[in-house]
Amino acid sequence: MWSLFILHKDVTLCVMNGKNGGAMRLISLPVIVAVLLAPAVFAKPLVTSSEETFQSVCLEYSETPERLIEICGKALEASGASATQLLEMKESLAWAHQSLGNDTEARRLFEDMYASAPESALALNGLGWLDFMASDYAQSAVWFEKAMSTAPEAQTLAGLGSSLYRAGALPLSEAAAYLDAALAISPDYLWAQREKAWLYLEEGQDAEAQIAFEAVLAADPDDSNANYGMAYVLSESNDWEAALSYVNRALQADPKYGSALSRRSLILLYLDRPAQALRDGEALVASWPDDSDGYVRMARAQQALGRAGDALESLQTAVERVGYESYLNYWHASMLFDDGQMQAAFAMLEPVFAQGEDHYFEHELRVQILLSEDRLEDARAALDQSLVLYPEEEFLIFYDALTLIGEKKFAAAEARFDEAAAAGLPDDELAYFLGQLVGAAQYVQAIQMRVRYSEMRDDSDS
């Protein structure tokens, strides 16, 4: 059955890059694709052997999607196939259409199969995967549950467990049990192992995700999705060199792997190789000109190369091409802020908050802008809102301390700075804070605080 050849090409990852990458980013949607390895040689006869028929070639699933659409169409017009074979040929035709992006026709075919054979696992699983790809996880779970009553296959178990988890109907521990059961049925079903890794990542369990990705690579070292997954995990822990080797392997297996190209651009940026990062960003834009991610990768690399004007131009092009998108607006606002264009930066952030798509980095940037413009009352209101959502973030606590200086609450400001330092604020922020105290004529407090922190460092070094 075609289901044995279904691969999980990508997953939806709502990625908070943290101090590495910036704003929350929906990297990509799940795509289920057929493994179609034969080259597209359109001059080749549809049936090349006297031992083959349109029906047999259609059922083999080894041709390109373009050829399969023509072959299976002719096979379905012929006579002699059984009811089961007709379903199998329609399934082949449906996945051929889906692999070319013809989702509407693929769905029509699967629905036709379901109408004629409501108990068909091929139809039920096909509809389940189409809804899974469309991120309609509640509906995909319905189809997979129906398929389970007909044929409890590995792909059905895996699809059901993942769908229920992604629909919020199942905790990770139970979803992982479904995926493990699928692997017990079919140990070579690597989609289930990869999916388990991605679900661990969504829960912040990076160590478990790495183990799961490593299990996939032990079975198939060239698995592009698992290599990308390893690159993602390692880059999130700042192991940039190791991450680069994995993402390079992912791209060797699949040079058009968009998520891997994007991740490599980020990795190269943090390895201080912005010219190479720029090339990957440009490749993303060339292949996906209506996706903002490539423009952001380009702009970040251009900024690192000292080409802030080009970076802003790239982001403006993205705005004109893509329109509003929270990820794009954040980075545009951030670079406008870096360029000293405070009002434009603030205006770029406002729609993100209006749409309710704000995350930590938007809050941090908003406070930075307001403090830079000496809008103390607005900064206080924004901080109070942000600290309710992110009470332990060291930079928000630091900005709170700076705001308290502006409010002339100097003792409280020093106490809040101590909290920020304890939460992990970089040591070099002390000099800026002391400068603000001096600017507020709190000379004695600034000197005493400098001495206190010097003694604390001496104690920690001894």
Side-chain angles (χ1 to χ4, degrees), residues 16 37 43 71 93 103 121 124 126 159 219 239-240 249 256 323 333 345 355 392 406 414:
M16 175 74 80
L37 300 179
I71 290 167
L93 181 58
D103 290 355
L124 294 167
D239 193 349
W240 303 107
R249 274 159 91 202
K256 300 291 285 183
Q355 293 293 327
E392 298 179 1
E414 183 172 343

Side-chain angles (χ1 to χ4, degrees), residues 152-226:
E153 301 173 357
Q155 66 150 325
T156 313
L157 270 170
L160 177 58
S162 183
S163 295
L164 289 170
Y165 169 82
R166 293 180 182 279
L170 210 63
L172 175 60
S173 58
E174 293 182 33
Y178 276 78
L179 294 165
D180 286 335
L183 288 165
I185 294 173
S186 180
D188 296 330
Y189 185 38
L190 297 184
W191 186 91
Q193 190 72 33
R194 287 195 303 268
E195 180 68 354
K196 187 165 63 170
W198 290 116
L199 297 189
Y200 281 134
L201 270 179
E202 289 194 13
E203 293 282 344
Q205 299 181 29
D206 289 14
E208 291 81 357
Q210 184 168 339
I211 291 169
F213 282 130
E214 287 171 343
V216 176
L217 293 174
D220 182 3
D222 295 323
D223 187 292
S224 60
N225 186 278

Side-chain angles (χ1 to χ4, degrees), residues 400-401 404-405 407-419 433 437 442 445 449 452:
D400 191 23
L404 286 165
I405 291 177
E407 294 168 341
K408 302 187 183 306
K409 299 175 182 178
F410 303 114
E414 183 172 343
R416 280 298 268 169
F417 183 88
D418 290 344
E419 289 180 50
F433 183 78
L437 283 176
Q442 301 302 300
Q445 183 182 4
M449 193 172 174
R452 179 164 64 86

Side-chain angles (χ1 to χ4, degrees), residues 380 397-422 425 429-430 433-434 436-438 442-456:
R380 167 52 62 203
I397 299 171
F398 173 55
Y399 298 142
D400 191 23
L402 294 176
T403 304
L404 286 165
I405 291 177
E407 294 168 341
K408 302 187 183 306
K409 299 175 182 178
F410 303 114
E414 183 172 343
R416 280 298 268 169
F417 183 88
D418 290 344
E419 289 180 50
L425 186 74
E429 297 294 349
L430 175 63
F433 183 78
L434 295 177
Q436 296 301 301
L437 283 176
V438 169
Q442 301 302 300
Y443 310 113
V444 174
Q445 183 182 4
I447 292 169
Q448 290 176 339
M449 193 172 174
R450 182 181 294 280
V451 170
R452 179 164 64 86
Y453 269 85
S454 295
E455 291 174 346
M456 289 166 57

Side-chain angles (χ1 to χ4, degrees), residues 137-414:
Y137 301 118
Q139 184 56 52
S140 65
V142 171
W143 293 119
F144 288 131
E145 283 175 340
K146 289 182 178 181
M148 281 294 295
S149 64
T150 299
E153 301 173 357
Q155 66 150 325
T156 313
L157 270 170
L160 177 58
S162 183
S163 295
L164 289 170
Y165 169 82
R166 293 180 182 279
L170 210 63
L172 175 60
S173 58
E174 293 182 33
Y178 276 78
L179 294 165
D180 286 335
L183 288 165
I185 294 173
S186 180
D188 296 330
Y189 185 38
L190 297 184
W191 186 91
Q193 190 72 33
R194 287 195 303 268
E195 180 68 354
K196 187 165 63 170
W198 290 116
L199 297 189
Y200 281 134
L201 270 179
E202 289 194 13
E203 293 282 344
Q205 299 181 29
D206 289 14
E208 291 81 357
Q210 184 168 339
I211 291 169
F213 282 130
E214 287 171 343
V216 176
L217 293 174
D220 182 3
D222 295 323
D223 187 292
S224 60
N225 186 278
N227 275 303
Y228 164 68
M230 285 292 292
Y232 180 84
V233 171
L234 291 166
S235 61
E236 287 299 288
S237 60
N238 297 337
D239 193 349
W240 303 107
E241 289 286 358
L244 181 62
S245 68
Y246 280 102
V247 79
N248 280 339
R249 274 159 91 202
L251 287 164
Q252 285 170 2
D254 184 359
K256 300 291 285 183
Y257 194 164
S259 295
L261 267 175
S262 177
R263 180 60 41 166
R264 187 169 69 178
S265 182
L266 180 68
I267 292 167
L268 290 167
L269 190 67
Y270 279 91
L271 286 172
D272 197 24
R273 291 153 70 174
Q276 294 177 35
L278 178 57
R279 284 197 289 273
D280 279 344
E282 290 170 340
L284 283 167
V285 170
S287 295
W288 295 278
D290 294 323
D291 190 302
S292 65
D293 192 49
Y295 297 96
V296 171
R297 293 298 183 220
M298 278 180 57
R300 294 187 67 184
Q302 288 165 331
Q303 186 181 49
L305 288 165
R307 295 163 50 188
D310 289 343
L312 289 171
E313 187 175 327
S314 293
L315 294 174
Q316 184 58 41
T317 300
V319 169
E320 294 167 1
R321 188 78 188 239
V322 179
Y324 166 79
E325 189 179 89
S326 61
Y327 169 73
L328 173 59
N329 276 46
Y330 167 78
W331 280 109
H332 202 172
S334 178
M335 292 192 192
L336 287 166
F337 171 75
D338 292 341
D339 198 52
Q341 300 184 47
M342 302 303 173
Q343 293 183 7
F346 195 82
M348 191 61 63
L349 271 184
E350 283 187 308
V352 181
F353 286 94
Q355 293 293 327
E357 296 181 317
D358 48 284
H359 298 94
Y360 168 73
F361 287 98
E362 285 84 4
H363 282 261
E364 180 185 318
L365 181 57
R366 181 175 65 173
V367 173
Q368 284 181 286
I369 294 169
L370 293 170
L371 287 175
S372 296
E373 290 201 298
D374 294 324
R375 295 168 57 181
L376 198 62
E377 290 185 8
D378 291 337
R380 167 52 62 203
L383 265 169
D384 289 346
Q385 179 190 9
S386 301
L387 285 166
V388 169
L389 299 171
Y390 309 102
E392 298 179 1
E393 287 292 338
E394 62 268 26
F395 276 97
L396 285 179
I397 299 171
F398 173 55
Y399 298 142
D400 191 23
L402 294 176
T403 304
L404 286 165
I405 291 177
E407 294 168 341
K408 302 187 183 306
K409 299 175 182 178
F410 303 114
E414 183 172 343

Side-chain angles (χ1 to χ4, degrees), residues 5-197:
F5 297 96
I6 297 298
L7 295 177
H8 198 253
K9 185 67 173 173
D10 228 330
V11 294
T12 301
L13 285 181
C14 200
V15 179
M16 175 74 80
N17 283 332
K19 295 177 179 59
N20 301 338
M24 184 75 76
R25 169 64 172 158
L26 188 66
I27 296 293
S28 58
L29 294 176
V31 182
I32 306 295
V33 297
V35 175
L36 297 166
L37 300 179
V41 182
F42 297 104
K44 175 183 175 183
L46 293 178
V47 175
T48 59
S49 168
S50 61
E51 301 298 323
E52 294 177 327
T53 63
F54 289 126
Q55 292 94 325
S56 67
V57 175
C58 178
L59 293 171
E60 284 174 1
Y61 319 120
S62 59
E63 285 285 355
T64 64
E66 294 88 351
R67 285 173 58 81
L68 270 175
I69 287 171
E70 191 170 355
I71 290 167
C72 292
K74 291 183 179 298
L76 288 167
E77 293 171 0
S79 60
S82 68
T84 298
Q85 287 175 324
L86 286 172
L87 288 172
E88 292 172 354
M89 288 188 287
K90 283 186 178 180
E91 184 202 28
S92 178
L93 181 58
W95 285 123
H97 275 291
Q98 190 280 328
S99 68
L100 293 176
N102 304 330
D103 290 355
T104 300
E105 180 61 14
R107 184 175 292 277
R108 186 195 68 77
L109 286 161
F110 279 122
E111 287 175 347
D112 183 61
M113 291 165 60
Y114 178 64
S116 63
E119 301 301 316
S120 168
L122 299 181
L124 294 167
N125 281 314
L127 289 167
W129 286 120
L130 286 180
D131 283 322
F132 189 97
M133 286 187 284
S135 302
D136 189 352
Y137 301 118
Q139 184 56 52
S140 65
V142 171
W143 293 119
F144 288 131
E145 283 175 340
K146 289 182 178 181
M148 281 294 295
S149 64
T150 299
E153 301 173 357
Q155 66 150 325
T156 313
L157 270 170
L160 177 58
S162 183
S163 295
L164 289 170
Y165 169 82
R166 293 180 182 279
L170 210 63
L172 175 60
S173 58
E174 293 182 33
Y178 276 78
L179 294 165
D180 286 335
L183 288 165
I185 294 173
S186 180
D188 296 330
Y189 185 38
L190 297 184
W191 186 91
Q193 190 72 33
R194 287 195 303 268
E195 180 68 354
K196 187 165 63 170

